[in-house]
């Protein structure tokens, strides 16, 4: 499916009115988000139950005041102009990669330093592939990932191609954390850690707290998030591919 000329012109007019046309990357993002929403506008909750969602997040530890502040990836805040935020500096952090579906929470994998193609390849082989086979044995599952550089690495793409009969890789639009329900699970973890007394005082305690908070997320919480997908798609259509608050 493609965006017609009239729809494209409407998007351009909207962006001109917003003063954003000077940012061509934003126009491309808006079009791709609109395309994704159009392609999935008829998906029901039953369709979205077939999707395994994934993401990585960095949790920052601040020793100065004894509080844990959690900062996520640079593109996680949505704005009509091209996103450009900065990860706050701290005295240490823990990065984790996670996945979940309507049916269950997947594992959290601690990532040392940053997620590169080699590390992600091992996650694909050791976690994603076997879990997708177990969750969707008929090969009708979809795996969602965002557009991080390591996800598009040649060695990673070749691995996915080797298993293309086992599940389908969901084509994901750029700059779309608002469409990924896992973002709300990171918020759940954040709130749980902030309520801890005492707060984690080192990275080992922070890592343990992250995993414990993840495992304690109620089933009804992540199921409701997946069930929100038709509404999210409708909001993106209403915004003509622009960002939406959810």
């Amino acid at each position: 499916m493609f965006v017609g000329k009239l729809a494209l012109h409407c998007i351009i007019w909207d962006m001109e009115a917003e003063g954003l046309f000077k940012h061509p990357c934003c126009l491309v993002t808006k079009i791709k988000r609109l395309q994704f929403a159009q392609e999935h506008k008829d998906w029901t909750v039953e369709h979205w139950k077939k999707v395994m969602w994934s993401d990585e997040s960095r949790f920052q530890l601040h020793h100065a005041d004894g509080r844990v502040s959690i900062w996520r990836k640079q593109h996680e805040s949505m704005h009509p102009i091209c996103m450009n935020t900065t990860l706050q500096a701290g005295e240490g952090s823990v990065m984790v990669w996670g996945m979940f579906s309507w049916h269950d929470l997947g594992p959290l994998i601690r990532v040392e330093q940053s997620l590169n193609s080699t590390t992600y390849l091992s996650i694909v082989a050791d976690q994603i592939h076997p879990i997708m086979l177990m969750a969707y044995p008929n090969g009708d599952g979809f795996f969602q990932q965002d557009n991080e550089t390591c996800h598009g690495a040649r060695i990673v793409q070749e691995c996915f191609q080797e298993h293309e009969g086992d599940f389908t890789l969901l084509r994901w639009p750029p700059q779309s954390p608002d469409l990924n329900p896992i973002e709300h699970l990171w918020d759940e973890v954040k709130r749980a850690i902030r309520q801890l007394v005492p707060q984690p005082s080192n990275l080992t305690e922070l890592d343990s707290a992250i995993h414990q908070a993840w495992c304690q997320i109620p089933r009804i919480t992540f199921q409701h998030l997946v069930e929100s997908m038709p509404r999210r798609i409708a909001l993106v259509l209403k915004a003509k591919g622009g960002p939406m608050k959810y």
Side-chain angles (χ1 to χ4, degrees), residues 91-118:
E91 297 183 8
S93 63
V94 172
M95 174 177 275
V96 294
W97 176 93
M99 61 191 293
F100 88 102
S101 71
W102 184 89
H103 304 282
D104 207 353
L105 292 173
L108 276 191
I109 307 299
R110 182 170 177 175
V111 177
E112 299 298 334
Q113 297 183 348
S114 62
L115 189 63
N116 55 37
S117 58
T118 302

PDB file of all heavy atoms in Angstrom, residues 91-118:
ATOM      1  N   GLU A  91      26.585   8.216  37.166  1.00  0.00           N
ATOM      2  CA  GLU A  91      27.738   7.500  37.682  1.00  0.00           C
ATOM      3  C   GLU A  91      27.708   6.024  37.348  1.00  0.00           C
ATOM      4  O   GLU A  91      28.567   5.281  37.783  1.00  0.00           O
ATOM      5  CB  GLU A  91      27.820   7.699  39.199  1.00  0.00           C
ATOM      6  CG  GLU A  91      28.026   9.141  39.601  1.00  0.00           C
ATOM      7  CD  GLU A  91      28.178   9.297  41.087  1.00  0.00           C
ATOM      8  OE1 GLU A  91      28.265   8.268  41.776  1.00  0.00           O
ATOM      9  OE2 GLU A  91      28.210  10.431  41.572  1.00  0.00           O
ATOM     10  N   GLY A  92      26.733   5.577  36.594  1.00  0.00           N
ATOM     11  CA  GLY A  92      26.646   4.176  36.218  1.00  0.00           C
ATOM     12  C   GLY A  92      25.266   3.876  35.714  1.00  0.00           C
ATOM     13  O   GLY A  92      24.310   4.590  36.014  1.00  0.00           O
ATOM     14  N   SER A  93      25.154   2.844  34.918  1.00  0.00           N
ATOM     15  CA  SER A  93      23.857   2.502  34.362  1.00  0.00           C
ATOM     16  C   SER A  93      23.801   1.028  34.023  1.00  0.00           C
ATOM     17  O   SER A  93      24.821   0.356  33.921  1.00  0.00           O
ATOM     18  CB  SER A  93      23.573   3.337  33.111  1.00  0.00           C
ATOM     19  OG  SER A  93      24.525   3.044  32.102  1.00  0.00           O
ATOM     20  N   VAL A  94      22.585   0.557  33.836  1.00  0.00           N
ATOM     21  CA  VAL A  94      22.334  -0.810  33.414  1.00  0.00           C
ATOM     22  C   VAL A  94      21.442  -0.758  32.180  1.00  0.00           C
ATOM     23  O   VAL A  94      20.389  -0.122  32.207  1.00  0.00           O
ATOM     24  CB  VAL A  94      21.630  -1.632  34.526  1.00  0.00           C
ATOM     25  CG1 VAL A  94      21.211  -3.003  33.997  1.00  0.00           C
ATOM     26  CG2 VAL A  94      22.543  -1.789  35.731  1.00  0.00           C
ATOM     27  N   MET A  95      21.880  -1.405  31.118  1.00  0.00           N
ATOM     28  CA  MET A  95      21.052  -1.504  29.921  1.00  0.00           C
ATOM     29  C   MET A  95      20.490  -2.912  29.835  1.00  0.00           C
ATOM     30  O   MET A  95      21.205  -3.893  30.060  1.00  0.00           O
ATOM     31  CB  MET A  95      21.844  -1.194  28.655  1.00  0.00           C
ATOM     32  CG  MET A  95      21.048  -1.440  27.372  1.00  0.00           C
ATOM     33  SD  MET A  95      21.933  -1.012  25.849  1.00  0.00           S
ATOM     34  CE  MET A  95      21.561   0.723  25.752  1.00  0.00           C
ATOM     35  N   VAL A  96      19.195  -3.006  29.517  1.00  0.00           N
ATOM     36  CA  VAL A  96      18.560  -4.304  29.351  1.00  0.00           C
ATOM     37  C   VAL A  96      17.797  -4.333  28.039  1.00  0.00           C
ATOM     38  O   VAL A  96      17.341  -3.307  27.535  1.00  0.00           O
ATOM     39  CB  VAL A  96      17.587  -4.631  30.516  1.00  0.00           C
ATOM     40  CG1 VAL A  96      18.340  -4.786  31.818  1.00  0.00           C
ATOM     41  CG2 VAL A  96      16.505  -3.575  30.638  1.00  0.00           C
ATOM     42  N   TRP A  97      17.693  -5.505  27.489  1.00  0.00           N
ATOM     43  CA  TRP A  97      16.864  -5.758  26.305  1.00  0.00           C
ATOM     44  C   TRP A  97      15.743  -6.696  26.737  1.00  0.00           C
ATOM     45  O   TRP A  97      15.981  -7.643  27.504  1.00  0.00           O
ATOM     46  CB  TRP A  97      17.696  -6.405  25.206  1.00  0.00           C
ATOM     47  CG  TRP A  97      16.891  -6.787  23.986  1.00  0.00           C
ATOM     48  CD1 TRP A  97      16.694  -6.048  22.870  1.00  0.00           C
ATOM     49  CD2 TRP A  97      16.192  -8.025  23.780  1.00  0.00           C
ATOM     50  NE1 TRP A  97      15.895  -6.731  21.974  1.00  0.00           N
ATOM     51  CE2 TRP A  97      15.573  -7.951  22.509  1.00  0.00           C
ATOM     52  CE3 TRP A  97      16.018  -9.179  24.542  1.00  0.00           C
ATOM     53  CZ2 TRP A  97      14.799  -8.998  21.991  1.00  0.00           C
ATOM     54  CZ3 TRP A  97      15.246 -10.214  24.034  1.00  0.00           C
ATOM     55  CH2 TRP A  97      14.649 -10.110  22.770  1.00  0.00           C
ATOM     56  N   GLY A  98      14.532  -6.405  26.286  1.00  0.00           N
ATOM     57  CA  GLY A  98      13.405  -7.241  26.680  1.00  0.00           C
ATOM     58  C   GLY A  98      12.429  -7.474  25.545  1.00  0.00           C
ATOM     59  O   GLY A  98      12.469  -6.791  24.516  1.00  0.00           O
ATOM     60  N   MET A  99      11.538  -8.447  25.747  1.00  0.00           N
ATOM     61  CA  MET A  99      10.504  -8.745  24.767  1.00  0.00           C
ATOM     62  C   MET A  99       9.254  -9.237  25.491  1.00  0.00           C
ATOM     63  O   MET A  99       9.336  -9.755  26.610  1.00  0.00           O
ATOM     64  CB  MET A  99      10.986  -9.802  23.761  1.00  0.00           C
ATOM     65  CG  MET A  99      11.350 -11.140  24.386  1.00  0.00           C
ATOM     66  SD  MET A  99      12.221 -12.260  23.233  1.00  0.00           S
ATOM     67  CE  MET A  99      10.932 -12.607  22.039  1.00  0.00           C
ATOM     68  N   PHE A 100       8.099  -9.053  24.855  1.00  0.00           N
ATOM     69  CA  PHE A 100       6.869  -9.566  25.437  1.00  0.00           C
ATOM     70  C   PHE A 100       5.813  -9.669  24.343  1.00  0.00           C
ATOM     71  O   PHE A 100       5.927  -9.075  23.270  1.00  0.00           O
ATOM     72  CB  PHE A 100       6.366  -8.645  26.567  1.00  0.00           C
ATOM     73  CG  PHE A 100       5.476  -7.521  26.106  1.00  0.00           C
ATOM     74  CD1 PHE A 100       4.097  -7.595  26.264  1.00  0.00           C
ATOM     75  CD2 PHE A 100       6.013  -6.389  25.501  1.00  0.00           C
ATOM     76  CE1 PHE A 100       3.266  -6.561  25.844  1.00  0.00           C
ATOM     77  CE2 PHE A 100       5.190  -5.355  25.074  1.00  0.00           C
ATOM     78  CZ  PHE A 100       3.809  -5.444  25.245  1.00  0.00           C
ATOM     79  N   SER A 101       4.781 -10.428  24.622  1.00  0.00           N
ATOM     80  CA  SER A 101       3.627 -10.530  23.731  1.00  0.00           C
ATOM     81  C   SER A 101       2.373 -10.472  24.591  1.00  0.00           C
ATOM     82  O   SER A 101       2.456 -10.364  25.824  1.00  0.00           O
ATOM     83  CB  SER A 101       3.656 -11.841  22.938  1.00  0.00           C
ATOM     84  OG  SER A 101       3.378 -12.943  23.789  1.00  0.00           O
ATOM     85  N   TRP A 102       1.220 -10.553  23.969  1.00  0.00           N
ATOM     86  CA  TRP A 102      -0.030 -10.568  24.715  1.00  0.00           C
ATOM     87  C   TRP A 102      -0.076 -11.759  25.661  1.00  0.00           C
ATOM     88  O   TRP A 102      -0.670 -11.690  26.737  1.00  0.00           O
ATOM     89  CB  TRP A 102      -1.210 -10.639  23.745  1.00  0.00           C
ATOM     90  CG  TRP A 102      -2.560 -10.554  24.406  1.00  0.00           C
ATOM     91  CD1 TRP A 102      -3.283  -9.429  24.686  1.00  0.00           C
ATOM     92  CD2 TRP A 102      -3.359 -11.663  24.871  1.00  0.00           C
ATOM     93  NE1 TRP A 102      -4.475  -9.746  25.300  1.00  0.00           N
ATOM     94  CE2 TRP A 102      -4.552 -11.121  25.427  1.00  0.00           C
ATOM     95  CE3 TRP A 102      -3.188 -13.045  24.867  1.00  0.00           C
ATOM     96  CZ2 TRP A 102      -5.557 -11.926  25.956  1.00  0.00           C
ATOM     97  CZ3 TRP A 102      -4.187 -13.837  25.420  1.00  0.00           C
ATOM     98  CH2 TRP A 102      -5.364 -13.282  25.947  1.00  0.00           C
ATOM     99  N   HIS A 103       0.604 -12.841  25.285  1.00  0.00           N
ATOM    100  CA  HIS A 103       0.531 -14.079  26.037  1.00  0.00           C
ATOM    101  C   HIS A 103       1.416 -14.093  27.275  1.00  0.00           C
ATOM    102  O   HIS A 103       1.050 -14.692  28.291  1.00  0.00           O
ATOM    103  CB  HIS A 103       0.892 -15.267  25.130  1.00  0.00           C
ATOM    104  CG  HIS A 103       0.039 -15.350  23.907  1.00  0.00           C
ATOM    105  ND1 HIS A 103      -1.247 -15.849  23.935  1.00  0.00           N
ATOM    106  CD2 HIS A 103       0.271 -14.973  22.620  1.00  0.00           C
ATOM    107  CE1 HIS A 103      -1.763 -15.794  22.724  1.00  0.00           C
ATOM    108  NE2 HIS A 103      -0.878 -15.266  21.911  1.00  0.00           N
ATOM    109  N   ASP A 104       2.575 -13.441  27.207  1.00  0.00           N
ATOM    110  CA  ASP A 104       3.486 -13.544  28.349  1.00  0.00           C
ATOM    111  C   ASP A 104       4.622 -12.536  28.220  1.00  0.00           C
ATOM    112  O   ASP A 104       4.892 -12.001  27.133  1.00  0.00           O
ATOM    113  CB  ASP A 104       4.069 -14.955  28.427  1.00  0.00           C
ATOM    114  CG  ASP A 104       4.469 -15.341  29.850  1.00  0.00           C
ATOM    115  OD1 ASP A 104       4.404 -14.462  30.737  1.00  0.00           O
ATOM    116  OD2 ASP A 104       4.832 -16.502  30.071  1.00  0.00           O
ATOM    117  N   LEU A 105       5.281 -12.289  29.362  1.00  0.00           N
ATOM    118  CA  LEU A 105       6.508 -11.501  29.358  1.00  0.00           C
ATOM    119  C   LEU A 105       7.672 -12.394  28.962  1.00  0.00           C
ATOM    120  O   LEU A 105       7.753 -13.544  29.394  1.00  0.00           O
ATOM    121  CB  LEU A 105       6.773 -10.917  30.743  1.00  0.00           C
ATOM    122  CG  LEU A 105       5.822  -9.839  31.261  1.00  0.00           C
ATOM    123  CD1 LEU A 105       6.160  -9.527  32.722  1.00  0.00           C
ATOM    124  CD2 LEU A 105       5.910  -8.589  30.416  1.00  0.00           C
ATOM    125  N   GLY A 106       8.567 -11.859  28.158  1.00  0.00           N
ATOM    126  CA  GLY A 106       9.774 -12.581  27.808  1.00  0.00           C
ATOM    127  C   GLY A 106      10.885 -12.260  28.793  1.00  0.00           C
ATOM    128  O   GLY A 106      10.669 -11.573  29.798  1.00  0.00           O
ATOM    129  N   PRO A 107      12.089 -12.722  28.530  1.00  0.00           N
ATOM    130  CA  PRO A 107      13.210 -12.474  29.440  1.00  0.00           C
ATOM    131  C   PRO A 107      13.751 -11.055  29.300  1.00  0.00           C
ATOM    132  O   PRO A 107      13.533 -10.389  28.287  1.00  0.00           O
ATOM    133  CB  PRO A 107      14.252 -13.492  28.967  1.00  0.00           C
ATOM    134  CG  PRO A 107      13.981 -13.627  27.499  1.00  0.00           C
ATOM    135  CD  PRO A 107      12.478 -13.540  27.362  1.00  0.00           C
ATOM    136  N   LEU A 108      14.441 -10.612  30.334  1.00  0.00           N
ATOM    137  CA  LEU A 108      15.233  -9.391  30.259  1.00  0.00           C
ATOM    138  C   LEU A 108      16.696  -9.812  30.159  1.00  0.00           C
ATOM    139  O   LEU A 108      17.168 -10.612  30.973  1.00  0.00           O
ATOM    140  CB  LEU A 108      15.046  -8.524  31.502  1.00  0.00           C
ATOM    141  CG  LEU A 108      13.855  -7.577  31.584  1.00  0.00           C
ATOM    142  CD1 LEU A 108      14.025  -6.647  32.772  1.00  0.00           C
ATOM    143  CD2 LEU A 108      13.661  -6.782  30.306  1.00  0.00           C
ATOM    144  N   ILE A 109      17.387  -9.270  29.182  1.00  0.00           N
ATOM    145  CA  ILE A 109      18.796  -9.597  28.979  1.00  0.00           C
ATOM    146  C   ILE A 109      19.631  -8.357  29.284  1.00  0.00           C
ATOM    147  O   ILE A 109      19.429  -7.305  28.679  1.00  0.00           O
ATOM    148  CB  ILE A 109      19.065 -10.055  27.531  1.00  0.00           C
ATOM    149  CG1 ILE A 109      18.116 -11.189  27.142  1.00  0.00           C
ATOM    150  CG2 ILE A 109      20.531 -10.463  27.370  1.00  0.00           C
ATOM    151  CD1 ILE A 109      18.247 -12.424  27.993  1.00  0.00           C
ATOM    152  N   ARG A 110      20.547  -8.486  30.232  1.00  0.00           N
ATOM    153  CA  ARG A 110      21.423  -7.349  30.522  1.00  0.00           C
ATOM    154  C   ARG A 110      22.454  -7.213  29.408  1.00  0.00           C
ATOM    155  O   ARG A 110      23.069  -8.193  28.975  1.00  0.00           O
ATOM    156  CB  ARG A 110      22.118  -7.534  31.866  1.00  0.00           C
ATOM    157  CG  ARG A 110      23.000  -6.335  32.239  1.00  0.00           C
ATOM    158  CD  ARG A 110      23.492  -6.390  33.662  1.00  0.00           C
ATOM    159  NE  ARG A 110      24.372  -5.277  33.966  1.00  0.00           N
ATOM    160  CZ  ARG A 110      24.883  -5.019  35.180  1.00  0.00           C
ATOM    161  NH1 ARG A 110      24.580  -5.829  36.188  1.00  0.00           N
ATOM    162  NH2 ARG A 110      25.673  -3.989  35.377  1.00  0.00           N
ATOM    163  N   VAL A 111      22.622  -5.990  28.948  1.00  0.00           N
ATOM    164  CA  VAL A 111      23.557  -5.693  27.869  1.00  0.00           C
ATOM    165  C   VAL A 111      24.710  -4.885  28.443  1.00  0.00           C
ATOM    166  O   VAL A 111      24.502  -3.829  29.046  1.00  0.00           O
ATOM    167  CB  VAL A 111      22.874  -4.885  26.743  1.00  0.00           C
ATOM    168  CG1 VAL A 111      23.882  -4.527  25.654  1.00  0.00           C
ATOM    169  CG2 VAL A 111      21.703  -5.662  26.177  1.00  0.00           C
ATOM    170  N   GLU A 112      25.908  -5.380  28.284  1.00  0.00           N
ATOM    171  CA  GLU A 112      27.082  -4.673  28.786  1.00  0.00           C
ATOM    172  C   GLU A 112      27.418  -3.514  27.862  1.00  0.00           C
ATOM    173  O   GLU A 112      27.566  -3.685  26.657  1.00  0.00           O
ATOM    174  CB  GLU A 112      28.282  -5.621  28.887  1.00  0.00           C
ATOM    175  CG  GLU A 112      28.073  -6.783  29.843  1.00  0.00           C
ATOM    176  CD  GLU A 112      27.837  -6.334  31.282  1.00  0.00           C
ATOM    177  OE1 GLU A 112      28.304  -5.235  31.646  1.00  0.00           O
ATOM    178  OE2 GLU A 112      27.177  -7.072  32.042  1.00  0.00           O
ATOM    179  N   GLN A 113      27.518  -2.339  28.417  1.00  0.00           N
ATOM    180  CA  GLN A 113      27.863  -1.107  27.706  1.00  0.00           C
ATOM    181  C   GLN A 113      26.778  -0.734  26.694  1.00  0.00           C
ATOM    182  O   GLN A 113      25.842  -0.033  27.035  1.00  0.00           O
ATOM    183  CB  GLN A 113      29.241  -1.228  27.056  1.00  0.00           C
ATOM    184  CG  GLN A 113      30.356  -1.404  28.082  1.00  0.00           C
ATOM    185  CD  GLN A 113      31.730  -1.462  27.475  1.00  0.00           C
ATOM    186  OE1 GLN A 113      31.896  -1.598  26.270  1.00  0.00           O
ATOM    187  NE2 GLN A 113      32.740  -1.371  28.323  1.00  0.00           N
ATOM    188  N   SER A 114      26.884  -1.179  25.456  1.00  0.00           N
ATOM    189  CA  SER A 114      25.897  -0.806  24.451  1.00  0.00           C
ATOM    190  C   SER A 114      25.547  -2.015  23.595  1.00  0.00           C
ATOM    191  O   SER A 114      26.288  -2.995  23.545  1.00  0.00           O
ATOM    192  CB  SER A 114      26.419   0.333  23.562  1.00  0.00           C
ATOM    193  OG  SER A 114      27.569  -0.084  22.853  1.00  0.00           O
ATOM    194  N   LEU A 115      24.412  -1.923  22.921  1.00  0.00           N
ATOM    195  CA  LEU A 115      23.942  -3.029  22.090  1.00  0.00           C
ATOM    196  C   LEU A 115      24.511  -2.878  20.691  1.00  0.00           C
ATOM    197  O   LEU A 115      24.146  -1.963  19.950  1.00  0.00           O
ATOM    198  CB  LEU A 115      22.411  -3.033  22.043  1.00  0.00           C
ATOM    199  CG  LEU A 115      21.749  -4.254  21.392  1.00  0.00           C
ATOM    200  CD1 LEU A 115      22.059  -5.522  22.174  1.00  0.00           C
ATOM    201  CD2 LEU A 115      20.235  -4.043  21.317  1.00  0.00           C
ATOM    202  N   ASN A 116      25.431  -3.797  20.325  1.00  0.00           N
ATOM    203  CA  ASN A 116      25.993  -3.772  18.978  1.00  0.00           C
ATOM    204  C   ASN A 116      25.496  -4.978  18.194  1.00  0.00           C
ATOM    205  O   ASN A 116      24.737  -5.811  18.712  1.00  0.00           O
ATOM    206  CB  ASN A 116      27.525  -3.738  19.022  1.00  0.00           C
ATOM    207  CG  ASN A 116      28.110  -4.887  19.840  1.00  0.00           C
ATOM    208  OD1 ASN A 116      27.599  -6.009  19.812  1.00  0.00           O
ATOM    209  ND2 ASN A 116      29.175  -4.618  20.580  1.00  0.00           N
ATOM    210  N   SER A 117      25.898  -5.068  16.946  1.00  0.00           N
ATOM    211  CA  SER A 117      25.382  -6.126  16.081  1.00  0.00           C
ATOM    212  C   SER A 117      25.767  -7.518  16.564  1.00  0.00           C
ATOM    213  O   SER A 117      24.974  -8.459  16.455  1.00  0.00           O
ATOM    214  CB  SER A 117      25.876  -5.916  14.645  1.00  0.00           C
ATOM    215  OG  SER A 117      27.288  -5.894  14.583  1.00  0.00           O
ATOM    216  N   THR A 118      26.962  -7.674  17.120  1.00  0.00           N
ATOM    217  CA  THR A 118      27.397  -8.979  17.607  1.00  0.00           C
ATOM    218  C   THR A 118      26.557  -9.425  18.803  1.00  0.00           C
ATOM    219  O   THR A 118      26.105 -10.578  18.880  1.00  0.00           O
ATOM    220  CB  THR A 118      28.887  -8.942  18.000  1.00  0.00           C
ATOM    221  OG1 THR A 118      29.668  -8.541  16.878  1.00  0.00           O
ATOM    222  CG2 THR A 118      29.347 -10.306  18.475  1.00  0.00           C
TER     223      THR A 118
END
